[in-house]
Amino acid sequence: MAKSHALFLLLLLLLVDACRPSHQQDQNKISSHDLAALAAVKDSLTDIPGSNFFSTWDFTSPDPCSAFSGITCSLNRVTILTLGNGVSSSRGLAGFLSPSVSNLTELTQLVLYPGLVTGPIPPQLGLLSNLRVLSLSNNRLKGPIPSSLSSLPSLHTLDLSYNQLTGTVPPGLFTGLSQLKVMILASNQLSGELPRIVSAGILHLDLKDNSLTGTLPLRLPSTIRYLSASKNMMWGSLNGLQSLSELGFLDLSMNQFSGPIPSSLLRPPLSSLFLQRNNLSGGVPTSSSLMYGEGSIVDLSHNLLTGELSPVLAAVETLFLNNNRLTGRVPEEYVKNVYGGSTKTLYLQHNYITGFPLEAGLGLPDTVSLCLTYNCMVPSVGFKGCPAASGGEQLSRPESQCVVFNHGRSIP
């Protein structure tokens, strides 16, 4: 009796042990639907010499979810696909992006690391209703941005920067994606105008280095904290920015914007402001808020700003006001911060400034770059820290220019 009981227990243990691998295999077995999609992805891409990303993609593997690089699974379905390993020594992947990626219907993240992937962005990606992150930056993708991407209800982050994309930005990206927080389309060949209203709750919008034209949207979301549209061909006023109370970074440099600078832009939390190389006019706004400090940077250079300089920007750590039409004496607040070392860079060259009140007995800190050349004064300081080609060897403007300008007439 004891022997038969022991035999029964042994058979039971063997049965349990035999069943366990099969159970684990079922748990680890990837969906055949997803496996076919991954095979199509691999057929469309290849490692550039020096990269070995696909070396682990062995389709005879019993557990692709664990064996394949760049794959994360949940309940036998691929939820994250990261193509490339992202290390600096790797040259990435080449080929094209297969439309079969859209068959990975549980995908929440699709990331393509920098490489030489070309061809269009598959419109079929708009079928990935669970997709939250789509990042295809730093490749050679061509053609338009598919309007179907406006149908991704869960999309949080869209990064298509540093490619060769052309055409207009689908309006639905600005109005139809309620979950979108980050959109980066920088350094492409996009053209056309932006929509009049951006209704999505975007926090980060980067459109720099394209060929966009037209004006800024009349209404941008009050939630936006980062906005860049530099190096485009946009024009018009900056009035649409007045209600952006959360904005911390603004770069609209190298466009054709005109009119005055809204005073609302010179207040916290906006500590990085780049408006250089436009056609902005009027004076530097006055403001009751002087909350700039360490790390702050403001560049208003190469515009048409006039009048005397107000103290509003005196606490900025790095300040560029050169190549404008500013007049009068520099307020003492600027001088104090320069000599105290809290202002690290102050460029005022190529204006019509008549005075920089020095503090007797104080030397300029070694860490400070101050440039005052080519103004309506002879600077005793502020010429050694000037950038190259800031006025040649001329320390001051010709007196004839200063006299003419101070009488309100334009210089020939």
Side-chain angles (χ1 to χ4, degrees):
M1 183 69 178
K3 288 184 178 181
S4 62
H5 181 69
L7 181 61
F8 173 78
L9 289 176
L10 178 60
L11 291 173
L12 183 61
L13 290 172
L14 290 173
L15 180 61
V16 170
D17 189 64
C19 292
R20 185 179 294 117
S22 176
H23 175 71
Q24 290 178 345
Q25 188 175 9
D26 289 342
Q27 289 295 314
N28 294 330
K29 186 177 181 181
I30 193 172
S31 159
S32 59
H33 192 69
D34 285 9
L35 196 62
L38 293 176
V41 169
K42 187 176 186 297
D43 287 342
S44 69
L45 297 169
T46 184
D47 281 301
I48 298 173
S51 172
N52 61 351
F53 173 74
F54 281 121
S55 62
T56 62
W57 283 41
D58 179 2
F59 285 86
T60 64
S61 170
D63 183 13
C65 286
S66 298
F68 284 22
S69 297
I71 303 294
T72 300
C73 299
S74 177
L75 300 177
N76 304 334
R77 300 299 308 275
V78 177
T79 56
I80 298 176
L81 176 58
T82 303
L83 296 169
N85 53 33
V87 298
S88 59
S89 60
S90 173
R91 299 184 60 192
L93 306 176
F96 66 94
L97 198 56
S98 172
S100 295
V101 172
S102 63
N103 293 330
L104 300 171
T105 54
E106 294 300 316
L107 210 59
T108 62
Q109 297 183 36
L110 174 58
V111 176
L112 174 63
Y113 276 118
L116 301 177
V117 178
T118 188
I121 298 174
Q124 294 87 343
L125 295 184
L127 300 173
L128 296 172
S129 59
N130 295 309
L131 198 65
R132 287 181 48 80
V133 175
L134 177 59
S135 177
L136 309 175
S137 64
N138 284 276
N139 279 277
R140 297 184 180 179
L141 297 171
K142 300 179 179 181
I145 299 174
S147 59
S148 60
L149 299 186
S150 303
S151 303
L152 296 172
S154 303
L155 194 63
H156 176 282
T157 299
L158 175 65
D159 186 356
L160 307 178
S161 60
Y162 295 93
N163 280 289
Q164 300 170 15
L165 301 173
T166 55
T168 60
V169 181
L173 294 183
F174 296 101
T175 59
L177 299 174
S178 61
Q179 301 301 311
L180 189 65
K181 303 302 179 187
V182 177
M183 179 158 60
I184 307 174
L185 306 179
S187 297
N188 281 286
Q189 300 165 22
L190 300 171
S191 57
E193 300 186 7
L194 301 179
R196 304 305 291 156
I197 296 177
V198 176
S199 58
I202 296 177
L203 302 176
H204 184 115
L205 178 59
D206 192 346
L207 304 170
K208 69 173 174 285
D209 196 13
N210 280 288
S211 298
L212 299 173
T213 56
T215 62
L216 290 170
L218 288 175
R219 191 174 73 198
L220 287 159
S222 59
T223 54
I224 197 164
R225 299 174 185 173
Y226 181 108
L227 174 60
S228 177
S230 66
K231 299 176 71 174
N232 280 285
M233 296 181 288
M234 301 180 69
W235 62 79
S237 74
L238 305 182
N239 291 337
L241 305 175
Q242 296 189 62
S243 61
L244 304 183
S245 58
E246 299 297 318
L247 199 61
F249 181 101
L250 176 64
D251 187 354
L252 300 178
S253 61
M254 289 177 274
N255 280 283
Q256 301 169 29
F257 292 112
S258 58
I261 299 173
S263 58
S264 59
L265 294 183
L266 302 183
R267 67 184 183 193
L270 186 55
S271 59
S272 297
L273 175 62
F274 302 91
L275 299 178
Q276 70 270 25
R277 298 187 182 276
N278 281 286
N279 298 316
L280 300 170
S281 57
V284 176
T286 58
S287 173
S288 59
S289 185
L290 299 173
M291 298 293 291
Y292 294 102
E294 186 176 356
S296 58
I297 179 170
V298 174
D299 192 341
L300 307 180
S301 64
H302 295 273
N303 278 290
L304 305 172
L305 301 177
T306 57
E308 296 190 3
L309 185 58
S310 73
V312 65
L313 300 173
V316 176
E317 184 176 284
T318 302
L319 178 59
F320 302 98
L321 294 171
N322 51 287
N323 295 81
N324 280 288
R325 299 177 179 179
L326 299 172
T327 59
R329 291 172 61 83
V330 176
E332 292 183 359
E333 291 88 343
Y334 291 89
V335 181
K336 178 181 178 181
N337 287 330
V338 165
Y339 277 87
S342 58
T343 294
K344 304 295 184 184
T345 301
L346 177 59
Y347 281 4
L348 292 170
Q349 69 271 20
H350 281 265
N351 280 287
Y352 296 84
I353 292 169
T354 56
F356 188 82
L358 299 174
E359 296 190 17
L362 291 180
L364 197 65
D366 293 337
T367 57
V368 169
S369 294
L370 173 66
C371 188
L372 300 171
T373 59
Y374 214 68
N375 277 287
C376 296
M377 63 179 185
V378 178
S380 58
V381 294
F383 51 88
K384 293 183 179 179
C386 294
S390 63
E393 297 181 357
Q394 289 183 283
L395 293 181
S396 305
R397 280 188 181 276
E399 186 177 352
S400 59
Q401 291 185 4
C402 294
V403 171
V404 171
F405 189 81
N406 288 335
H407 281 81
R409 296 191 299 274
S410 59
I411 298 174

